Amino acid sequence: MHVGLLSGTLPMLFGPYASQLVILANELIRRGHAISWLSVNKNAGRAHVPLEYNVTVLAVMPPEENQGQPLYVSQLNDFVLARGIEVIVSLMDLNRIFVDESFALPSIAWFPNHFERLDISSRHALAAYDTIAALAPSDAISIAQQLPHKRVEHVPHAIDPPLVSASTRSLRKKHGVPLDAFVVLVMFANYESNAARKSPDVAVLAFQQLQQRLPRAFLWVHAVAMSAISRGAANEDGISISGLISAVGLPSGSFKLSSDDKSPGEVHELLKLSDVLLQPSKAEGF
C-alpha cells in the first residue's frame, strides 16, 4: 500500500511530530508499504533530506505559495490521487486545513489535541477525516463525545529508545554533571521568541525554589537551537536561556546549558542521568 504521511514538518527536524512519523514510516516500510512524506512545511521543496530517513518527501505546496495560506482538502485530494497514494495519515496541527470536501481516500488524523475541548479550527478540519486517533484515553473519550459521528480510537505515541546500558554515574561523568546532584532536566526546541511557548521561565523559577530547599539541585536546560539542525528549514532561534538564567540569578556551577543537535541515543542519556524531567508547558498534544 502507498501511504501518505501528512505533516507540517520534515523528517530530520527536532520534535515529536517528526520523530513519531519517522518511527511510523520505518515500521510501515518494514511491513512492505511504500511511504511518501507529504509536507506543508514552507521549505519542503528546498530542504535536503538525508537518505537515512528512507522516505520520499513531497512538497504539497510550492514555496512561493506556501506562506501560511489555507490548504484545502480538495487540493490535497488532487495532489495525492495524482501520485497513487492510497491512504493518508496526518500528524500535525490542523489549523491550516480547510474543508471544502471530504478526503477522497481513507484518512486518519493522528491528532495532537492541545485543549480540553476541541478548538474551532481542529473541529472543522476533523470533519474531513474518516478516523481520529487520539493520543490519550481521556482525549479519545472526549473527542468521541464531541464528534459522535466519527470513529475515534486511542493510539498513543510510540517509544523507540536506543538501549542505554551505561550507569547513571558514568553518564554524569561523561556529560560533566555533579555525581551527587539532584538533576533537573528541561528540554525543548527553542524556536520562538515567545517564552510562554514551553514556559522555560516557569521552569527556572521552579528550580530556584527547589534549590533553596535542596542546595545540591542541578539544572540542565537543553534548549535545542533550530539553526543547529534545520538547515534553513525551520524558524529562527527563540529566547535567550542564558539571559533568563542571569535574570533569575542562579549560582554559578548549579546549572548547565546546551543547544546542540543531539542524537536519539544522547537524548536518552540525558534522561537516564536526570532525576526529574521538568516540562511546564502551557499545553501539549498528549
Side-chain angles (χ1 to χ4, degrees):
M1 182 177 292
H2 189 177
V3 181
L5 302 180
L6 180 61
S7 171
T9 187
L10 293 166
M12 68 285 191
L13 296 186
F14 180 90
Y17 294 178
S19 65
Q20 289 299 308
L21 285 181
V22 167
I23 291 173
L24 177 60
N26 288 336
E27 180 61 22
L28 291 173
I29 291 170
R30 189 184 70 82
R31 297 186 181 205
H33 301 289
I35 302 296
S36 289
W37 188 293
L38 313 176
S39 182
V40 297
N41 185 283
K42 65 182 179 181
N43 292 298
R46 297 188 288 257
H48 170 70
V49 180
L51 294 176
E52 65 194 75
Y53 290 100
N54 298 318
V55 296
T56 300
V57 175
L58 302 176
V60 175
M61 301 175 70
E64 62 273 10
E65 298 178 11
N66 191 1
Q67 301 298 325
Q69 290 94 334
L71 181 62
Y72 287 91
V73 175
S74 59
Q75 292 177 277
L76 284 168
N77 281 335
D78 291 343
F79 187 88
V80 298
L81 293 175
R83 289 159 178 81
I85 293 170
E86 300 169 86
V87 62
I88 285 181
V89 179
S90 72
L91 177 56
M92 60 184 290
D93 297 331
L94 298 176
N95 54 300
R96 286 183 61 190
I97 303 295
F98 279 64
V99 181
D100 56 343
E101 62 186 37
S102 295
F103 280 111
L105 66 170
S107 54
I108 302 170
W110 201 9
F111 177 56
N113 187 15
H114 296 283
F115 305 101
E116 183 177 356
R117 303 286 294 178
L118 288 173
D119 63 286
I120 190 169
S121 297
S122 297
R123 179 187 284 270
H124 169 76
L126 289 172
Y129 288 85
D130 299 313
T131 302
I132 302 164
L135 298 176
S138 58
D139 203 37
I141 294 171
S142 176
I143 293 174
Q145 291 172 342
Q146 296 174 73
L147 300 175
H149 58 295
K150 292 292 181 182
R151 178 182 177 184
V152 182
E153 303 286 350
H154 168 223
V155 182
H157 274 174
I159 299 176
D160 187 20
L163 295 176
V164 181
S165 58
S167 67
T168 298
R169 184 178 181 85
S170 65
L171 290 174
R172 290 187 176 187
K173 283 184 177 180
K174 174 182 176 180
H175 292 282
V177 174
L179 299 181
D180 62 345
F182 183 86
V183 181
V184 178
L185 175 65
V186 176
M187 184 163 51
F188 64 100
N190 189 18
Y191 62 80
E192 290 180 356
S193 59
N194 180 5
R197 178 179 167 270
K198 295 294 181 183
S199 302
D201 50 348
V202 174
V204 172
L205 289 171
F207 175 80
Q208 183 186 43
Q209 294 185 32
L210 171 65
Q211 194 175 54
Q212 292 170 356
R213 301 182 181 185
L214 187 66
R216 66 185 181 90
F218 183 89
L219 176 67
W220 189 339
V221 180
H222 182 52
V224 182
M226 296 309 290
S227 59
I229 61 174
S230 68
R231 303 178 181 88
N235 300 325
E236 62 185 18
D237 294 340
I239 66 172
S240 170
I241 304 299
S242 59
L244 180 60
I245 295 286
S246 298
V248 173
L250 295 183
S252 176
S254 68
F255 62 88
K256 178 174 182 175
L257 308 180
S258 58
S259 60
D260 56 313
D261 178 21
K262 296 187 182 300
S263 68
E266 290 173 317
V267 170
H268 283 277
E269 288 182 355
L270 300 193
L271 293 170
K272 185 168 183 178
L273 67 81
S274 302
D275 294 288
V276 171
L277 174 64
L278 178 58
Q279 191 76 20
S281 303
K282 181 178 179 182
E284 287 292 352
F286 50 86

